[in-house]
Amino acid sequence: MADAHGPHRVRLPARSSLYRLVKALADPAEPPGSAARTATAAGRAGGPPAALRPAERVHVATARLGTGAVGEDGAGEKVATTAALDQASGCVLAAVLRPEQGGPVKLSVLLAEMAVPGPLRPGWPALLEQAHAGRPGRRLMSLPDRIEATAAQPAAVPETLVLDHGTVGITSTFLTVCESLGISLEPAPPRMADARRGALRALQVLAGLFSRHAVAARPPATAAGENQAVEADGAYWSMPQLQDLLDEWVLAVWHHRPQEQLQHPLLPRAGLAPQEMWELLLGAAGRMPLPLAGQHYGELLPGRRCTVAESGIRLGGRRCDDACLDEHRGREGRFEVHHHPHDPRQVFVRLPDGQLHAVPWAQGEHAWRPFGELLRRAAPPPGGDRAGPVPGSAQAQEAAARGGTGGGAVPGTAGGGTVAVEPDGFGVYDAAAEAGQW
């Protein structure tokens, strides 16, 4: 400035202001007044990319539930949920419950849940009826209403999956599936909190609200002989019952609950519900993300090789059997079997015709009935004692002597119902007293 206009002819700013001006001109992306950035640091991004279409960017996150579940061994265990949330609409495309200490959910399971609608899955109506009849407590929706709501539930193949570190398990087979379907995988940046803060915060709110609903949905009176030790730990529902309760709650409550962060430019002060936002964005985007067909559900699930014995297929301590296995029983060789790691109700086996056939759990119809649930709750706690007198003991014989043939009662009966006690100490099932508890 002195060489061009002469000394002291142009008034210069202060030295600190001059340095800030030079810095802003040198790097427009760096706001004036912020801390200096080292030359080796990567350039800052302007936050996570915006999602303007349904299923354009889907975040996968995990949160812990405030309620426990009764495990397969009868003991209480802590539960976590891994969900896939659509960034644009806030809809829950898939939510899978798992034991907190059981390892991450496989990403192929989440993709099968979000990409294949429930009504298209093999055997889904029968499985829904079993789950609807085998869960005690208050229902949010009737069976016809739930079938209708599930048919309208958002389902699509995502364009980009944003994964948190350690949230899900990725296999080479899943990478091949993503490449064939055109799905991009994007890890959440470790130092950019905004990239995953919205999905994680929304999932934490969902987990908190659902935990309170799970506690409130318990039957008011406990059944006879329930495991009091497990009840003290806060675990009442079994894992399949809790998963069915979560699916129903998402359909009836979460997708119709207005959220402040879901706003339309023409309605800036009105918080929209996720279902409303999904339908609104579908009309604005002009394109519909199509889901997969029903036969792809079994293809996406994890697979392994199993033999077909005379009694059927044994997997995870359960026996699955169906008439389609009759001509293949006892044959040498292993068959390709796909199964849901957190849903034991059925498996999918690939037979020589090249198709996957659904094979249900052999004891599924009995296990999901209310009487089967009563027997499970009447079992003694693991490593503990029975709440009532053991058949054949002196206490049981004394109770039978006092009550005679029909004067005694099984301890723990709710509602004042009487259950006859035989002289040998075994209680007789009273259907009328049990019906008053449902």
Side-chain angles (χ1 to χ4, degrees), residues 69-157:
V70 181
E72 295 182 355
D73 56 352
E77 56 186 3
K78 298 179 180 179
V79 181
T81 176
T82 301
L85 292 92
D86 182 40
Q87 178 180 335
S89 64
C91 290
V92 179
L93 300 182
V96 177
L97 296 180
R98 62 171 179 86
E100 191 174 358
Q101 304 298 331
V105 175
K106 293 185 178 181
L107 198 52
S108 57
V109 176
L110 275 179
L111 182 59
E113 292 286 339
M114 74 176 75
V116 182
L120 298 182
R121 300 172 190 173
W124 178 80
L127 295 178
L128 183 61
E129 291 179 3
Q130 291 180 7
H132 200 86
R135 198 196 77 195
R138 179 173 55 91
R139 281 284 183 178
L140 294 176
M141 309 172 68
S142 62
L143 184 58
D145 293 341
R146 184 171 176 183
I147 294 176
E148 182 180 357
T150 306
Q153 184 181 10
V157 177

Side-chain angles (χ1 to χ4, degrees), residues 47-49 57 59 87 162 186-190 192-200:
R57 294 178 60 85
H59 292 257
Q87 178 180 335
V162 183
E186 178 182 323
M192 188 183 298
D194 292 339
R196 60 179 184 271
R197 180 185 303 169
L200 184 58

Side-chain angles (χ1 to χ4, degrees), residues 220-287:
T222 57
E226 279 189 351
N227 192 336
Q228 302 297 332
V230 177
E231 281 289 325
D233 296 337
Y236 178 85
W237 307 103
S238 62
M239 190 68 73
Q241 289 176 342
L242 199 62
Q243 179 68 57
D244 177 70
L245 188 66
L246 174 61
D247 296 339
E248 183 186 54
W249 183 83
V250 168
L251 284 175
V253 179
W254 180 260
H255 280 175
H256 301 280
R257 181 178 181 268
Q259 301 181 14
E260 296 181 357
Q261 65 272 18
L262 299 179
Q263 297 178 350
H264 190 266
L266 299 180
L267 302 172
R269 295 187 179 182
L272 301 178
Q275 187 76 25
E276 296 175 345
M277 196 68 179
W278 178 276
E279 298 173 357
L280 190 64
L281 291 177
L282 280 181
R287 55 181 296 184

Side-chain angles (χ1 to χ4, degrees), residues 304 404 411:
R304 57 185 300 181

